[in-house]
Amino acid sequence: MLVSLSFWSWLFIWDSPESFDHTAFEKYILYNEFLLVGIVFGFGGMRPVEGPHHQFVNALRRSARQVVLGLFAVLALVFASQDTFVSRSFLISYVPWLGLMLLFCNYMVPRWLGQWIFSRNREERVALVGSLEQARKIESWLDRKRLLGLKTVGVVYPQTVATETKDGAQRLGNPFCLLGHLDEMAAIIAKENITQVIVLGLSLERERLHQLTQMCESAAVRLIGLDDVDHYFNHSTTILEDDGMRLISLREEPLENPVNRLVKRALDLAVAVPVVMLILPFVHVLIWWLQRRQSPGPLLFRQERIGAMGEKFTMLKYRTMHVNNGDEAKQASKNDSRIYPAGRWMRKLSIDELPQFVNVLLGDMSVVGPRPHLREHEEMWIRIMSKYVVRRFIRPGITGYAQIKGFRGEVRSDTDVQKRVETDIYYLENWSCGLDVAIILKTVQHCVVPPASAY
């Protein structure tokens, strides 16, 4: 509503309403609707940032995203309908006003709504059960929830941490004052008018948790347990549900879903079959002719690589180096003397990778995934980053998220390995069909206009 109000008010400021006829109003109503559609799409898809002024920063990022998507929706309508009615100068001048309005809506409005909806008669008085150290870890979260009426009264500590003193709590300041022992919980609930209890760790004895649950249920107090499983695994975790079972995993893996695997395999075949049938035969002839002139020898280069779950397979490439060139495990480098002239051109345009579409048809590889490496390289890089082997959870790919991010070519330092592994794990945890399509399109772009890292 506020965005529509800003749209029409700026339109009337920009141009006199007397100059608008019925047709003009209908067109601008349509522009307004498409603007709102783009803004709605801008609500999701962003990870919140932490740190100082995080609420304002997140609101600013979301507002900028909504401005871009809103204007994109309007311009898409103009382009699709070939409409020349809308004033370009109006749209350009409206952008700052729209940005300020969205920033106001994303930053100030939620705060006012929270204060209005969660007024004092809806205030949640919260007692934390755990140690002061655990309470300190969620201090920023508690501060954000104050907007929703969550007021932290203090900490109730179990006997296992009874050595903590009130002096220690005083140094931390409000709201982390010590309320007493867990054995005194019933009296604390009554005295402090507690309406919600948050257990800061699941390390309490099972019997004590049962007693606390019964006590809260009897007193109409909401009980919440903070998930601290990450502490026990010493690794970030995620909760999965499968066939009625709740499971803990170290990461989300969308490709563990059979439907997603089927979709990815269908996309692989949809790309690989046309390439193998329509493109490879002509490229074979061209590469064979170039090799005969510059470096006679086998057309294809076959090399054993490590695939999904550590299985070995033979990867195919067009040969770009002279035969009998020495150590095959040595990585290619810029201006490598082992590469013949046409081979250098093929590597730059990634044409030498085309035979790997046969590997895709055989099921050894996927179109998109982590790049497969030699066992010698893997053993060396595992010593640098132990999480390297996580890449083996999925099939290796002809191209990958790391490649379009610029992490390709020769590995020169430990940082190169870490960046590639981190990017591959991100792909593993965030796979989607749309991400695969985006990577494929970006790879095609890199083949037409090679990046500076290609050689």
Side-chain angles (χ1 to χ4, degrees):
M1 183 178 69
L2 292 176
V3 171
S4 296
L5 180 63
S6 71
F7 179 86
W8 288 102
S9 61
W10 188 257
L11 180 62
F12 289 154
I13 292 172
W14 185 261
D15 201 352
S16 173
E18 288 80 9
S19 62
F20 293 158
D21 55 17
H22 181 70
T23 303
F25 273 110
E26 287 185 346
K27 287 183 176 294
Y28 276 104
I29 287 174
L30 189 60
Y31 299 146
N32 185 19
E33 291 175 349
F34 269 74
L35 177 68
L36 293 175
V37 169
I39 288 173
V40 169
F41 275 101
F43 271 109
M46 294 186 65
R47 293 186 175 182
V49 298
E50 297 290 342
H53 312 294
H54 60 273
Q55 293 178 344
F56 180 78
V57 172
N58 287 326
L60 186 62
R61 292 173 64 228
R62 185 179 298 110
S63 301
R65 175 187 173 93
Q66 289 173 328
V67 168
V68 172
L69 292 179
L71 291 179
F72 176 79
V74 173
L75 294 176
L77 171 65
V78 172
F79 178 78
S81 61
Q82 298 183 346
D83 188 2
T84 59
F85 180 82
V86 66
S87 170
R88 272 61 171 178
S89 58
F90 161 71
L91 288 178
I92 294 173
S93 64
Y94 176 56
V95 169
W97 177 231
L98 175 62
L100 289 174
M101 180 57 68
L102 287 172
L103 182 60
F104 172 78
C105 293
N106 286 316
Y107 182 62
M108 296 303 301
V109 172
R111 300 169 68 90
W112 291 346
L113 286 176
Q115 293 173 2
W116 175 59
I117 295 173
F118 297 96
S119 55
R120 292 196 63 83
N121 61 338
R122 290 292 307 276
E123 184 179 74
E124 292 279 2
R125 294 178 59 81
V126 179
L128 309 176
V129 177
S131 67
L132 292 173
E133 181 182 0
Q134 290 172 316
R136 192 184 301 117
K137 290 180 179 178
I138 66 167
E139 184 176 3
S140 61
W141 178 81
L142 292 169
D143 184 60
R144 293 195 298 271
K145 296 308 165 184
R146 289 177 59 191
L147 181 65
L148 302 179
L150 220 67
K151 180 180 180 180
T152 305
V153 178
V155 178
V156 178
Y157 52 97
Q159 290 180 341
T160 53
V161 291
T163 55
E164 291 179 318
T165 65
K166 290 187 177 181
D167 291 339
Q170 293 293 335
R171 287 194 298 272
L172 289 173
N174 192 49
F176 299 114
C177 59
L178 294 180
L179 300 177
H181 293 273
L182 186 57
D183 294 338
E184 306 167 328
M185 193 69 196
I188 293 172
I189 289 175
K191 178 183 177 182
E192 301 292 344
N193 194 24
I194 301 298
T195 61
Q196 184 166 301
V197 172
I198 299 179
V199 180
L200 299 180
L202 302 181
S203 57
L204 288 177
E205 297 176 6
R206 183 176 180 180
E207 184 61 31
R208 304 203 75 180
L209 278 174
H210 286 178
Q211 293 173 358
L212 182 60
T213 301
Q214 186 176 1
M215 184 186 308
C216 290
E217 290 287 287
S218 302
V221 172
R222 183 178 291 110
L223 177 64
I224 298 175
L226 182 67
D227 181 2
D228 63 343
V229 177
D230 293 6
H231 170 74
Y232 294 100
F233 282 93
N234 195 29
H235 194 286
S236 58
T237 60
T238 183
I239 305 297
L240 308 174
E241 292 200 18
D242 182 69
D243 197 19
M245 297 290 292
R246 298 189 68 190
L247 309 171
I248 300 172
S249 174
L250 298 186
R251 56 182 51 85
E252 285 194 48
E253 297 181 53
L255 287 174
E256 283 300 289
N257 185 317
V259 175
N260 289 341
R261 287 196 179 190
L262 182 62
V263 170
K264 184 170 178 62
R265 184 58 180 163
L267 178 62
D268 286 344
L269 295 177
V271 175
V273 169
V275 171
V276 171
M277 295 184 64
L278 303 177
I279 298 178
L280 274 187
F282 299 100
V283 176
H284 259 58
V285 174
L286 174 62
I287 302 303
W288 176 86
W289 181 76
L290 289 171
Q291 288 180 348
R292 296 287 75 76
R293 293 176 60 86
Q294 297 185 2
S295 179
L299 175 66
L300 296 176
F301 173 69
R302 294 174 170 85
Q303 193 173 56
E304 187 179 87
R305 297 289 177 100
I306 304 300
M309 304 311 296
E311 294 291 331
K312 300 177 183 178
F313 74 98
T314 301
M315 191 183 76
L316 304 176
K317 296 180 69 174
Y318 286 124
R319 182 176 56 84
T320 58
M321 295 184 178
H322 297 292
V323 294
N324 302 321
N325 54 50
D327 185 8
E328 291 185 354
K330 181 182 177 182
Q331 296 183 75
S333 58
K334 197 169 185 178
N335 302 319
D336 196 318
S337 61
R338 298 175 297 169
I339 305 174
Y340 60 86
R344 197 175 308 281
W345 167 75
M346 285 191 290
R347 295 176 74 93
K348 192 174 185 65
L349 298 179
S350 299
I351 294 175
D352 60 320
E353 312 285 357
L354 285 176
Q356 290 164 37
F357 284 101
V358 176
N359 289 117
V360 174
L361 294 183
L362 295 174
D364 297 323
M365 296 178 65
S366 179
V367 175
V368 180
R371 285 295 294 162
H373 297 134
L374 292 167
R375 179 171 294 279
E376 294 91 329
H377 293 165
E378 291 214 340
E379 291 174 351
M380 177 175 59
W381 293 334
I382 287 171
R383 291 193 293 270
I384 297 173
M385 191 172 187
S386 59
K387 290 197 298 184
Y388 179 91
V389 291
V390 174
R391 303 166 75 257
R392 297 178 180 175
F393 287 175
I394 54 176
R395 285 193 186 116
I398 299 175
T399 184
Y401 193 56
Q403 280 63 49
I404 68 167
K405 288 294 184 180
F407 307 130
R408 55 177 291 174
E410 184 182 7
V411 176
R412 298 184 178 89
S413 66
D414 294 354
T415 303
D416 288 344
V417 177
Q418 293 170 353
K419 287 181 177 179
R420 295 184 193 207
V421 173
E422 289 170 358
T423 310
D424 288 334
I425 292 177
Y426 174 88
Y427 171 79
L428 167 71
E429 296 176 346
N430 297 273
W431 175 90
S432 69
C433 186
L435 179 60
D436 268 8
V437 172
I439 292 172
I440 292 171
L441 294 177
K442 190 69 175 179
T443 301
V444 173
Q445 178 187 340
H446 283 180
C447 290
V448 176
V449 183
S453 59
Y455 53 81

